[in-house]
């Protein structure tokens, strides 16, 4: 039930704050989802952490957790500053918010840490979000200028 509540909250925020910009941000969200799937694959494989209380799983990852990653990346990208020095500070703040959500999910029993500490996730979140920002910048192709 925790994942369902979190999913409803995320998509409500997207509806109210992102709106039609969703169609501009979905590619970055797919990049973030791919990064999260790869990181979670290795995290689960090496027994660093695992998910519990999911309803439907893809591999050993709950589908609702993956949907939430997609939604969180859209929310992150919606307010992402253009200047990189501002992005670092913004990403640090967003990572704190996402870490608080992860701590709530841990407390609710939705994730377990046999060989992991919660604070490790802060650095992983920072790296992942900055990688999404960098890769999404690479996807933005400016149209060629017409030579006259």
């Amino acid at each position: 039930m925790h994942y369902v509540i979190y999913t409803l909250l995320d998509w409500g925020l997207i509806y109210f704050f992102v709106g039609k910009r969703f169609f501009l941000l979905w590619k970055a969200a797919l990049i973030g989802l791919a990064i999260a799937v790869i990181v979670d694959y290795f995290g689960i494989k090496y027994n660093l952490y695992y998910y519990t209380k999911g309803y439907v799983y893809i591999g050993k990852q709950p589908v609702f957790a993956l949907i939430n990653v997609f939604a969180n990346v859209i929310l992150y990208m919606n307010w992402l500053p253009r200047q990189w020095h501002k992005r670092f500070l913004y990403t640090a703040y967003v990572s704190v918010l996402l870490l608080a959500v992860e701590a709530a999910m841990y407390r609710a029993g939705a994730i377990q840490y046999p060989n992991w500490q919660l604070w490790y996730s802060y650095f992983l979140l920072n790296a992942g979000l900055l990688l999404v920002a960098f890769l999404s910048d690479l996807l933005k192709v400016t149209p060629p200028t017409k030579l006259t």
Side-chain angles (χ1 to χ4, degrees):
M1 187 67 173
H2 303 92
Y3 288 117
V4 175
I5 293 169
Y6 182 32
T7 302
L8 291 174
L9 178 67
D10 271 349
W11 287 95
L13 291 171
I14 287 174
Y15 178 78
F16 287 113
F17 292 116
V18 178
K20 293 183 181 182
R21 287 182 43 86
F22 172 84
F23 297 105
L24 300 173
L25 303 173
W26 69 270
K27 291 177 188 174
L30 281 180
I31 292 170
L33 182 61
I35 292 168
V37 165
I38 292 167
V39 168
D40 281 351
Y41 171 78
F42 287 109
I44 292 168
K45 180 179 178 179
Y46 294 114
N47 197 30
L48 299 174
Y49 54 86
Y50 61 91
Y51 296 100
T52 58
K53 296 187 180 182
Y55 297 113
V56 179
Y57 286 83
I58 295 177
K60 294 183 179 182
Q61 300 171 349
V63 171
F64 280 108
L66 299 174
I67 292 169
N68 290 333
V69 167
F70 187 84
N72 287 332
V73 172
I74 289 174
L75 291 170
Y76 168 75
M77 293 297 293
N78 189 51
W79 292 290
L80 185 69
R82 293 194 186 273
Q83 298 87 10
W84 272 96
H85 67 280
K86 291 181 182 177
R87 284 184 182 188
F88 287 114
L89 188 59
Y90 171 72
T91 301
Y93 289 141
V94 170
S95 295
V96 168
L97 293 174
L98 292 175
L99 191 66
V101 170
E102 186 174 335
M105 296 300 275
Y106 174 74
R107 181 166 278 234
I111 188 169
Q112 299 296 316
Y113 299 137
N115 298 308
W116 190 258
Q117 296 292 322
L118 181 63
W119 64 273
Y120 298 168
S121 296
Y122 178 75
F123 300 104
L124 200 58
L125 287 167
N126 271 310
L129 290 173
L130 289 171
L131 183 60
V132 168
F134 175 75
L135 292 176
S136 67
D137 280 350
L138 292 179
L139 284 180
K140 294 178 186 175
V141 178
T142 57
T145 57
K146 188 175 182 180
L147 297 174
T148 54

